[in-house]
Amino acid sequence: MTRNPQRGMALLVSLVFLLMLTLIGISSMQNATLQEKMAGSVALRNHSFQGAETALRVGESTVQRDSYSLPVCSGASHCAPPAESATITAGGHNPGSGVTWVATGTGFYAVQNLGATRTAVNVPINTPATLYRVTAVGIAGNSRSVVESIYAKY
């Protein structure tokens, strides 16, 4: 009777090989999950940015109407960009910044009258123009986008 010194070695090799395949599979699943989360985050960021852009256009359209009027902001705290844009979740008046946030279907916008000027960009020379700051916020999931424009009305 001859003894085979390699008896059971095939089982050990196949178990090690199976362990390596399992680790590769687990790593691949974790990588796929991470990529799915990143893609979801990018989609939310895009939706919030598009919501902010839409709210900004609605705000600019409001300012563009001939009948639109708003008192000139007074004081540094009321003429600065509204700080609550980073935390706002509902429309309404904010006494700290002096702006009124208007809810749209996709976000919020606020308008500030910065006063009259004769040196606005893209306005004919010596033409009086009233400058309005329109700040818009879009929220989608846990993503928030804030955009702003200066609108010259003459």
Side-chain angles (χ1 to χ4, degrees):
M1 192 183 212
T2 62
R3 289 193 159 164
N4 188 350
Q6 295 184 5
R7 199 170 202 171
M9 190 54 113
L11 177 62
L12 182 62
V13 169
S14 62
L15 286 176
V16 169
F17 186 67
L18 184 60
L19 178 65
M20 288 188 330
L21 286 177
T22 302
L23 292 176
I24 290 171
I26 290 172
S27 175
S28 297
M29 288 299 295
Q30 287 176 340
N31 189 21
T33 303
L34 179 62
Q35 287 180 3
E36 185 177 346
K37 287 180 183 179
M38 289 188 308
S41 178
V42 168
L44 285 176
R45 188 181 75 215
N46 286 338
H47 286 306
S48 71
F49 181 75
Q50 290 171 3
E53 280 284 324
T54 302
L56 184 71
R57 299 301 169 234
V58 170
E60 289 174 344
S61 296
T62 301
V63 171
Q64 190 176 20
R65 292 188 308 221
D66 290 334
S67 62
Y68 185 80
S69 66
L70 186 69
V72 177
C73 62
S74 60
S77 65
H78 287 248
C79 290
E84 70 271 10
S85 62
T87 58
I88 186 169
T89 57
H93 184 74
N94 185 300
S97 63
V99 301
T100 300
W101 290 94
V102 179
T104 65
T106 56
F108 309 95
Y109 73 88
V111 180
Q112 295 168 290
N113 183 341
L114 301 178
T117 183
R118 290 186 173 271
T119 59
V121 176
N122 295 329
V123 174
I125 297 173
N126 289 329
T127 302
T130 303
L131 299 180
Y132 292 92
R133 176 187 292 122
V134 182
T135 305
V137 178
I139 302 171
N142 60 357
S143 179
R144 173 183 301 264
S145 295
V146 179
V147 294
E148 191 174 87
S149 70
I150 302 294
Y151 188 89
K153 186 175 180 181
Y154 58 96

